[in-house]
């Protein structure tokens, strides 16, 4: 099922044929540089099934991102519950992405994220969407800034699921897009 289309991209449910790409991005050391783990094929397959189930059940999740011209999957971009009740209020949604390195530097994540923020904040009526990343993850925070999200330093946190064996990955910065501000920017 197609969730959203942009000029160059399709965001959709995951297909069985996407499995190799999903395994690749979850095992690639460059893609996973700011995560304390790499996933085995079995772990990646389990996460993929969980993602598809969430998308089917709720309409939100980390959607497969594919090139419109070829249908080739590149990674994911989507909206998902934060599932960090000790950090964010219940019901808070995050926007997140992961892309195979051969597609980096083409603006795909920015394009998909802008469309998803419009979907979330305007069409679905969400009040806000957050995004967070390891403080040193400049690639991700640069995307957050490009798509108009605002830094929320008072919400920065130590990620409770990052083990003490990886202290350099614990500090996370938070960005947010608020519906009221988003709509006023789009009207300009």
């Amino acid at each position: 099922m197609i969730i959203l289309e942009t000029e160059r991209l399709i965001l959709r449910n995951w297909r069985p044929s996407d499995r190799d790409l999903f395994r690749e991005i979850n095992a690639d050391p460059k893609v996973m540089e700011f995560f304390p783990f790499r996933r085995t094929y079995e772990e990646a397959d389990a996460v993929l099934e969980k993602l598809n189930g969430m998308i089917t059940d709720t309409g939100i999740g980390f959607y497969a991102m594919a090139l419109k011209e070829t249908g080739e999957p590149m990674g994911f971009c989507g909206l998902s519950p934060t599932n960090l009740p000790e950090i964010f209020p219940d019901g808070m949604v995050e926007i997140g992405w992961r892309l195979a390195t051969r597609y980096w530097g083409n603006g795909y994540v920015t394009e998909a994220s802008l469309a998803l923020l419009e979907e979330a904040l305007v069409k679905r009526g969400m009040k806000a969407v957050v995004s967070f990343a390891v403080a040193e993850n400049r690639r991700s925070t640069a995307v957050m800034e490009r798509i108009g999200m605002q830094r929320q330093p008072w919400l920065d946190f130590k990620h409770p699921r990052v083990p003490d064996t990886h202290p350099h990955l614990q500090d996370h910065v938070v960005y947010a897009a608020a519906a009221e501000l988003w709509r006023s920017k789009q009207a300009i």
Side-chain angles (χ1 to χ4, degrees):
M1 171 170 83
I2 293 177
I3 309 298
L4 218 210
E5 290 187 49
T6 68
E7 183 180 330
R8 301 180 295 165
L9 306 170
I10 293 173
L11 300 179
R12 58 168 172 74
N13 282 50
W14 292 90
R15 299 175 180 159
S17 59
D18 300 331
R19 191 170 303 280
D20 286 342
L21 179 275
F22 194 77
R23 289 172 172 173
E24 173 192 336
I25 63 175
N26 280 280
D28 184 314
K30 284 183 82 175
V31 174
M32 301 296 285
E33 176 183 1
F34 294 101
F35 290 83
F37 56 85
R38 309 298 173 264
R39 288 195 172 100
T40 65
Y41 282 1
E42 294 78 18
E43 291 167 337
D45 290 350
V47 171
L48 184 62
E49 293 306 315
K50 184 178 174 183
L51 287 177
N52 240 2
M54 181 192 311
I55 293 166
T56 300
D57 294 345
T58 67
I60 66 170
F62 293 125
Y63 313 115
M65 182 168 46
L67 283 170
K68 187 184 276 188
E69 187 176 302
T70 64
E72 180 180 2
M74 301 182 295
F76 66 74
C77 191
L79 303 165
S80 182
T82 57
N83 293 322
L84 291 167
E86 60 277 13
I87 310 294
F88 298 106
D90 188 44
M92 180 58 68
V93 170
E94 70 167 302
I95 187 168
W97 46 81
R98 202 169 299 157
L99 196 62
T101 57
R102 62 188 167 278
Y103 300 106
W104 288 6
N106 293 294
Y108 295 131
V109 169
T110 299
E111 184 176 325
S113 296
L114 283 167
L116 281 168
L117 285 177
E118 181 73 13
E119 174 75 16
L121 300 172
V122 177
K123 295 178 183 164
R124 293 184 185 221
M126 295 178 187
K127 292 187 185 326
V129 173
V130 297
S131 193
F132 48 91
V134 170
E136 285 74 36
N137 186 348
R138 190 63 193 128
R139 285 188 305 269
S140 282
T141 57
V143 171
M144 295 171 200
E145 291 166 4
R146 275 196 300 276
I147 63 176
M149 298 186 92
Q150 302 295 310
R151 177 82 194 283
Q152 310 294 313
W154 56 91
L155 294 176
D156 291 354
F157 65 97
K158 286 197 178 297
H159 203 299
R161 293 191 206 123
V162 175
D164 290 338
T165 54
H166 294 77
H168 62 291
L169 301 177
Q170 291 178 331
D171 291 334
H172 279 59
V173 294
V174 178
Y175 284 72
E180 190 172 311
L181 184 57
W182 182 265
R183 285 191 295 268
S184 68
K185 281 183 179 180
Q186 303 313 307
I188 296 175

